[in-house]
Amino acid sequence: MRTQDAIRPPAVAGFFYPADPAELTETLDRLLAASEPDEEDVDPDRLRTLIVPHAGYIYSGPTAAHGYRLLARLAAHHPPRRVAVLGPTHRVAIRGLALPAAGGYATPLGVCPVDASGLDDLPQVAVHAATHAEEHSLEVQVPFLQRILGDIPITPLAVGLAEPDSVAQVIETLAADPDTFIVISSDLSHYHAHAEARRLDDHTIARILERQDTVPADRACGAHPLNGMLQASRRLGWAPHILARATSADTAGDPSRVVGYASLALDAEDTP
């Protein structure tokens, strides 16, 4: 059961990103200002989805910022009414997709109301407070959204073990509202040497660009939400574009054991 006046407090502030609001704001502004995405093939007015990483900002923040800078361009002309964020579970496993029990989602920058409208009749979506309590894959996206869009209503969905078609149905329900923007939270390969990670991630990025919904879990820790989006994108006519990619060795990590990151955009340039 959801409790509208309850707030889900930040769980990873001070660990994955700064806990001090002024420092967090400065960090976000610096990351966004430094990003220079290759946007020639992406019309921000047709942008519907971002795929962005979810590690600590020191590692994946520069890559994520490439996507969020494009969202800022969209928001300048047509700001979304709400943002749905779909990410994997790292601590409490579930089947299907889960909303938080709280009616608000807090970060050091403020509180975003949780908007679950349109999902009541979907059997694969439940309420599961425990899986949201310490989950970082969703939380780390919210300060970027708040810095660009303010305390916008969000639909945070933790995606556990679920078939691509099941996730795709939820995404298509969300996408039926043209004012709902969708963020897929996913890192890529984990704990390979830098050169091997680049090779594996090249293969995964190629699959995403081809809209193949068969990315395995050992190639992307957000494989379940990602594969659902890729299946939905084929039916919706959304085309993916690569904006940026990196590994943790490119930012602050050990090159012998890295995590891969990519930012991609999906726009409605195809005809369904």
Side-chain angles (χ1 to χ4, degrees):
M1 180 179 297
R2 295 187 59 235
T3 305
Q4 285 299 119
D5 58 354
I7 303 297
R8 186 268 189 194
V12 295
F15 299 97
F16 279 66
Y17 61 85
D20 176 74
E23 183 183 356
L24 177 55
T25 297
E26 188 278 329
T27 298
L28 292 165
D29 289 348
R30 174 172 45 80
L31 291 170
L32 291 166
S35 63
E36 295 180 0
D38 180 6
E39 299 171 353
E40 286 82 359
D41 294 330
V42 183
D43 179 355
D45 291 330
R46 299 173 72 104
L47 183 68
R48 295 304 308 270
T49 298
L50 291 175
I51 300 168
V52 286
H54 56 235
Y57 285 5
I58 190 174
Y59 299 109
S60 68
T63 304
H66 284 273
Y68 283 115
R69 182 161 146 175
L70 191 58
L71 176 59
R73 290 182 57 198
L74 168 68
H77 301 97
H78 185 72
R81 180 186 66 82
R82 70 170 171 175
V83 178
V85 185
L86 288 78
T89 60
H90 288 84
R91 292 180 178 272
V92 179
I94 56 167
R95 290 186 177 274
L97 295 83
L99 290 160
Y105 207 100
T107 81
L109 299 184
V111 179
C112 290
V114 172
D115 181 352
S117 58
L119 303 180
D120 293 340
D121 296 329
L122 297 179
Q124 62 268 59
V125 179
V127 173
H128 199 285
T131 201
H132 280 271
E134 297 185 12
E135 180 53 57
H136 68 269
S137 72
L138 305 172
E139 180 180 328
V140 298
Q141 310 303 344
V142 179
F144 275 107
L145 297 172
Q146 289 172 307
R147 190 61 185 147
I148 295 167
L149 301 168
D151 291 337
I152 188 170
I154 63 172
T155 307
L157 285 163
V159 182
L161 185 61
E163 292 298 319
D165 187 63
S166 181
V167 181
Q169 290 174 27
V170 177
I171 290 171
E172 289 168 35
T173 299
L174 294 165
D177 175 7
D179 292 322
T180 294
F181 190 79
I182 300 171
V183 172
I184 303 298
S185 180
S186 181
D187 294 338
L188 297 181
S189 64
H190 278 56
Y191 310 135
H192 300 281
H194 179 74
E196 176 66 1
R198 294 285 293 199
R199 184 187 70 80
L200 294 172
D201 293 346
D202 282 346
H203 188 256
T204 300
I205 291 168
R207 283 179 176 268
I208 295 170
L209 294 176
E210 294 167 2
R211 290 180 286 192
Q212 296 184 23
D213 59 1
T214 54
V215 176
D218 65 347
R219 298 293 178 86
C221 72
H224 293 305
L226 177 59
N227 285 329
M229 170 54 72
L230 295 175
Q231 184 166 132
S233 70
R234 295 198 302 270
R235 299 200 287 245
L236 294 168
W238 294 356
H241 308 268
I242 183 71
L243 300 175
R245 52 89 53 86
T247 75
S248 53
D250 295 318
T251 50
D254 177 355
S256 68
R257 196 169 183 265
V258 308
V259 176
Y261 312 121
S263 272
L264 298 101
L266 288 91
D267 62 18
E269 69 176 20
D270 289 355
T271 301

